[in-house]
Amino acid sequence: MQTYSYYADGKWLEPANGEYFETENPYTGEAWAQIPRCNEKDVEIAVQAAYRAHHEGPWGRMNPSERGAMVRRLGDAVANHADRLAEIETRDNGKRRVDIHPGLTSWLIDSFYYYAGMADKLEGSVIPTGRDEILNYTRHEPFGVVAGITAWNSPLLIAIWKLAPALAAGNSIVLKPSEFASASTLELMKALEEADLPSGVINTITGFGAEAGEPLVTHERVRKISFTGSVEGGARVAGLAARSIKSVTMELGGKSPQLVFDDARLADTVHGVCGGIFPPAGQSCIAGSRLLLQAGIYDSFVEKLLEVAKRAKLGDPNDPHTSIGPIANKIHFDRVLGHIECARQSGATLACGGNAVNPGGATGWFIEPTIFTDVTPQMPLARDEVFGPVLAVMRFDTEEEALQMANDSNFGLAAGIWTEDHRRALNLANRLEAGTVYLNNYFDACTQSPVGGYKQSGYGRENGWEGMRDFLQTKSVWLSTAREIPPPF
Ligand code: TXE
């Protein structure tokens, strides 16, 4: 059984209380490593290290081009350790290896390179005040110490989406990964040590939300929080942050609709809809978990959809032939099964799946790709995020009805439209309440393009220039060259 330490001030440390918790491999269901159960004492060590790095060390005053060069070295470090990072991510949260490397790891590297290039381009403005004796200009400045709190479904990606812009902006950071998948973030620290950044610029503590997350969120020297997780977790964190007026970015849950019109290309659209939820076993915030089918295509689409979904091969996430890997942890496994039972009770028709299975004798947590038809807008399955391989199929007649159903949700993270009528697609894209809208594709993303939610899916953005903006604050400076300042009275 491997035992990890946590990483702060450039050192590997043992938890103050000497306690650890086990982390399991979702494919086997067995514990494989011990993770530090950090508490407020460890948070204090990490935050003070981050504070010293920014306020007393070279980092906060570093020439931006030099800082950019260091951030670029972080990308090089990920490239040098990509195999190990992918291995541990798959072992700790069951994500398919093929989804991580080389696909996702090249994205992680690109995030560091993209923001490294931005570090010395954070230009302010000279404001035209119209008065020669006044010079007014703005500066974009870092917050100082920022906290990055991440979810278990894609720990490396979610952590680096915060690390790269936060550091390129000149902040120092304390990360806290989910207690359900902390190991790959600790392995990331090992890799990033190679870049030789000043001690305390990057820190990672591990542990539970209440014991480690809350002391981090409420620490007076933490001035910005970037949170990725559930609406419940986000609401709690935003509430705590509000008490000390901290800036917050919230990347939360979703219940994203996919609208399919009669004129959609059948096979391509079925592939796109299935690909928009099942490969990560539904464990993606932007999973297209509500399928809205126009009446004319309904029967043929459902028939083809079931045929494709039943072809999925569940199994070892390290096996390149596996279509769908395990559910990332036991608690969530039971939660998804609870949603399935609730859907049955509420009268939806189980068209396929619905069962926990043990493919090839695996002893971990697997759920078949599950499709419910005859789902109505009031059913819990149409309203609540399952975050599992469960698709809710609903029917509509008109475009207006589809739009109303799609927007009838507390969430607003993503949406998909499948139609050959591009006028209709663009018109609907402008009216859907979602931070990302896909037209005849789903799940696309890149470092340059902002990601984030409407409504209870969150606020703030990650990736692109907007992802950098969230880690900067603007200062306006006024210089007077007036020869005298007349008496005020
Ligand atoms: O969330 P949780 P999970 C969402 C996804 C789903 C959820 C699953 O939609 O809803 O994440 O992740 C910490 N004070 N996204 O179950 O429980 C906790 O320890 C401080 C959206 O992990 O909210 C963990 O590190 N911290 C996303 C983190 O919060 C607290 C993409 C998340 O935990 C805390 C991926 C507290 N009181 C998943 N309570 C997107 N939109 O991009 C919990 N935490």
Side-chain angles (χ1 to χ4, degrees), residues 210 214 217 227 230-243 250:
E214 295 204 357
V217 167
F227 177 90
S230 64
V231 171
E232 296 72 25
R236 172 74 182 160
V237 166
L240 288 170
R243 294 180 197 165
M250 285 276 136

Side-chain angles (χ1 to χ4, degrees), residues 136-424:
N136 174 229
Y137 64 91
T138 59
R139 291 164 47 94
H140 295 305
E141 297 183 344
F143 283 93
V145 178
V146 305
I149 297 179
T150 62
W152 46 256
N153 67 308
S154 197
L156 287 173
L157 182 72
I158 297 171
I160 289 177
W161 276 14
K162 302 176 191 307
L163 265 173
L167 298 179
N171 299 287
S172 53
I173 191 166
V174 180
L175 285 173
K176 192 205 79 67
S178 168
E179 54 276 27
F180 293 110
S182 307
S184 58
T185 305
L186 293 172
E187 291 285 343
L188 177 63
M189 296 298 107
K190 286 184 187 171
L192 298 185
E193 278 193 299
E194 185 177 286
D196 200 19
L197 265 63
S199 297
V201 171
I202 306 176
N203 309 275
T204 293
I205 57 155
T206 52
F208 300 99
E211 295 175 358
E214 295 204 357
L216 180 59
V217 167
T218 54
H219 197 291
E220 61 179 7
R221 288 190 153 173
V222 170
R223 294 308 312 152
K224 164 78 189 182
I225 297 154
S226 179
F227 177 90
T228 298
S230 64
V231 171
E232 296 72 25
R236 172 74 182 160
V237 166
L240 288 170
R243 294 180 197 165
S244 48
I245 318 297
K246 294 181 194 319
S247 169
V248 173
T249 294
M250 285 276 136
E251 292 287 352
L252 306 179
K255 190 71 183 187
S256 301
Q258 297 231 42
L259 285 62
V260 178
F261 289 89
D262 289 345
D263 67 341
R265 300 198 307 265
L266 182 63
D268 292 339
T269 305
V270 168
H271 297 160
V273 165
C274 280
I277 181 163
F278 290 129
Q283 298 167 120
S284 163
C285 53
I286 60 170
S289 52
R290 284 188 291 154
L291 174 57
L292 280 57
L293 292 176
Q294 195 164 26
I297 199 172
Y298 188 94
D299 293 339
S300 59
F301 196 95
V302 169
E303 182 186 351
K304 182 72 177 170
L305 179 71
L306 294 176
E307 177 201 314
V308 172
K310 287 172 181 172
R311 286 207 295 259
K313 177 181 173 295
L314 279 70
D316 182 349
N318 281 302
D319 178 346
H321 301 298
T322 291
S323 318
I324 302 177
I327 302 298
N329 58 75
K330 180 68 167 62
I331 290 176
H332 193 61
F333 173 73
D334 292 337
R335 190 183 295 144
V336 174
L337 291 175
H339 282 290
I340 290 172
E341 184 48 34
C342 172
R344 288 178 201 265
Q345 299 294 333
S346 64
T349 303
L350 180 59
C352 83
N355 302 303
V357 292
N358 297 98
T363 53
W365 310 301
F366 289 86
I367 295 176
E368 297 172 306
T370 299
I371 297 171
F372 280 97
T373 53
D374 304 322
V375 177
T376 62
Q378 295 69 34
M379 287 182 183
L381 188 65
R383 313 205 70 77
D384 302 337
E385 177 182 59
V386 174
F387 211 58
V390 182
L391 183 61
V393 183
M394 305 161 82
R395 177 198 297 261
F396 69 87
D397 292 310
T398 68
E399 202 171 294
E400 280 308 308
E401 189 188 357
L403 182 68
Q404 191 278 325
M405 289 168 72
N407 287 338
D408 176 21
S409 171
N410 290 330
F411 294 102
L413 199 54
I417 302 170
W418 300 86
T419 177
E420 291 302 294
D421 178 344
H422 296 123
R423 183 178 293 106
R424 164 160 62 199

